Amino acid sequence: MSGTRAAALIVALIGVFTLVQPATAAPFIVTEAQFNKMFPSRNSFYTYSGLKSAMNSFSFANQGSDTVKKQEFAAAMANFSHETGGLVYIKEINQNGDYCDETKPYGCPAGAKQYYGRGPIQLSWNFNYKAAGDYIGQNLLGNPNLVSSNATIAWRTALWYWTTQTGPGSMTPHNAMVNSRGFGETIRSINGSLECNGRNPAAVNSRVSKYKQFTGIIGVAQGGNLSC
C-alpha cells in the first residue's frame, strides 16, 4: 500500500472512530460537594454513588427544567433528612414496634417485629417491604436487612416510595414537585395523616426548614406552597 493510500485510510478510520464515540454525559444536577454540604454528619453508608446508581431505575430529578429538577432533589433530600436525622440513622431507633399486617396473605416471614424503619425513607411495614422488593427485584419481605446493608438498595426503596406511592396524600411526592404543587404536598404524601393540617407543626417546620436550607445550597428558588 502506498504512503498516500495508507495516510488516507488512517484519516478515514479516525473519522469513523470519532463518529462512534459516545456523547459526553450531562453533569448530574447536584454535585457531590453540594450533597456533602447538605449532610455534613451523614453516615458513610449513605453514599452519593449509591444514590446515583439507584436513580438509574427511577424518574427522579430528571424531568422539567433545571429549576424543577433541583427543587425535586432538594425536596426529596429534605424529607429523607428529617426521617433519618440528617442521613445519620440507617435503622429506626426503636425497633420494638410491630409493623406486621398479618392479614396479608404473605405474612411476615422475617418475623413480626422485623419490618421497622430502614433507609432514607425509613421504609416500614411488611406490605411496603413486599411492594418495594417486588418493584426493585429484591426479596425485601424475606430479608428486610438488605435495606440497611446495601446502599443502592436503601436508596432505591426511598426513590420507589417517592416516585410511585401517594401515601396519605393524593399524588406521589415526585408528581407534586414536577407539577408545581409545592413542597408541602410532598409532606402530605409521606406523613400527612400525622403531621399536616396542624397535627404536628413542629415536624412540618423541620421538613420545610431543611428544604429551604437545601435549595440554598444548590442555588434554586424554593417555589410556593411550602407547608401543609
Side-chain angles (χ1 to χ4, degrees), residues 117-134:
R118 295 177 177 84
I121 198 71
Q122 289 291 283
L123 189 73
S124 307
W125 289 97
N126 59 325
F127 49 81
N128 279 326
Y129 278 89
K130 175 70 164 61
D134 288 349

Side-chain angles (χ1 to χ4, degrees), residues 88-198:
V88 170
Y89 298 108
I90 303 171
K91 297 181 179 181
E92 188 173 354
I93 296 173
N94 180 7
Q95 299 174 12
N96 295 319
D98 185 347
Y99 294 102
C100 174
D101 182 350
E102 295 179 352
T103 67
K104 302 300 182 184
Y106 42 78
C108 299
K113 294 189 176 182
Q114 291 303 306
Y115 299 99
Y116 52 79
R118 295 177 177 84
I121 198 71
Q122 289 291 283
L123 189 73
S124 307
W125 289 97
N126 59 325
F127 49 81
N128 279 326
Y129 278 89
K130 175 70 164 61
D134 288 349
Y135 192 94
I136 69 175
Q138 298 286 339
N139 181 19
L140 302 184
L141 182 69
N143 187 4
N145 278 323
L146 285 172
V147 182
S148 54
S149 62
N150 184 298
T152 298
I153 289 176
W155 283 117
R156 291 181 75 191
T157 62
L159 296 183
W160 163 80
Y161 191 96
W162 184 267
T163 60
T164 71
Q165 303 299 296
T166 62
S170 60
M171 65 187 69
T172 67
H174 166 73
N175 284 337
M177 296 308 296
V178 170
N179 296 321
S180 302
R181 293 295 295 271
F183 178 73
E185 198 66 31
T186 72
I187 303 174
R188 193 176 300 280
S189 298
I190 291 173
N191 211 26
S193 59
L194 296 178
E195 296 180 14
C196 293
N197 301 322

